[in-house]
Every structure is written in C-alpha cells, then in structure tokens.
Amino acid sequence: MNAQLKKGVLELTILREINKGDLYGYELAKMLGEYYTDVDLSSYYTILRRLRRKELVSCYEGSKSEGPPRKYYQITNRGKEYLCQRMAEWKHIQQIQQKLVQRF
C-alpha cells in the first residue's frame, strides 16, 4: 500500500478506535497489527505523538502495570470533530469509487 495512503488510513483508524474507548499505545498497536501486518510498532507511536501535537488526543498515565505506568490516549472534542469530518470525507470517497466500479 502507498505510504501516504496508509498513513492517512492509519491515523483515521487510530482515532476511530480511541473514540470507542481509551487505549494505551501497545494495546492499540497489537490490535491493529492483526490487520496492518506490515506496519512497524514505532509507526503507531509516531502517529499518536502527531495526534497529540494536533490536540486530537490527550494522554494520561494509567495505573501501574508490571512495568512502567502505561500512557492511555483519549480523544478530545477537537479530535471528535476532526474524526467526524474525515469519516464524512471517507464515506464520500467510497461512494464515488463504488459508482466508478459499477460503470466498468
């Protein structure tokens, strides 16, 4: 898959999953890694950092695990608005593609 396309789809997917409930980075990467088998673990953290800089997600420390405290990510109101806009765009693109497929 094209790197830019994958980056956009992963960002949208990560936001959508965090919108369902707070997640810590490794949990998210493990879950999505089942589907995106060619994505490196560090890519998830890069996207999460970018989403934090954009203030689309926030981060807090959860209760201690066996190792260091986990950083949980939660979607912000700004992130919810962004997700809603991007999902509408995604659905529109899907509709266009479906119409084009039906033509041929």
Side-chain angles (χ1 to χ4, degrees):
M1 183 186 300
N2 174 282
Q4 280 302 109
L5 178 61
K6 187 186 306 182
K7 178 180 148 186
V9 169
L10 267 175
E11 183 177 279
L12 183 61
T13 303
I14 288 170
L15 270 177
R16 200 176 58 227
E17 290 304 314
I18 293 173
N19 190 47
K20 293 176 186 175
D22 300 358
L23 295 168
Y24 61 94
Y26 183 73
E27 175 184 31
L28 179 67
K30 186 176 176 186
M31 178 177 52
L32 295 180
E34 293 180 32
Y35 303 96
Y36 297 99
T37 57
D38 59 337
V39 175
D40 189 64
L41 179 63
S42 64
S43 297
Y44 293 102
Y45 290 101
T46 300
I47 293 170
L48 287 168
R49 282 192 299 277
R50 186 171 50 252
L51 293 173
R52 278 187 73 192
R53 278 194 308 273
K54 292 179 174 181
E55 299 180 350
L56 302 177
V57 299
S58 60
C59 184
Y60 64 91
E61 277 192 10
S63 59
K64 284 195 171 192
S65 60
E66 293 178 14
R70 294 179 174 150
K71 287 184 181 178
Y72 283 83
Y73 295 88
Q74 64 186 122
I75 195 164
T76 62
N77 287 335
R78 184 176 185 170
K80 289 178 183 182
E81 291 172 13
Y82 179 87
L83 177 61
C84 186
Q85 292 167 354
R86 296 296 89 78
M87 288 302 297
E89 291 170 359
W90 179 257
K91 288 176 184 175
H92 182 69
I93 290 169
Q94 285 180 313
Q95 290 170 351
I96 291 169
Q97 291 301 314
Q98 187 62 33
K99 288 177 184 176
L100 289 170
V101 166
Q102 290 173 356
R103 284 185 62 192
F104 298 105

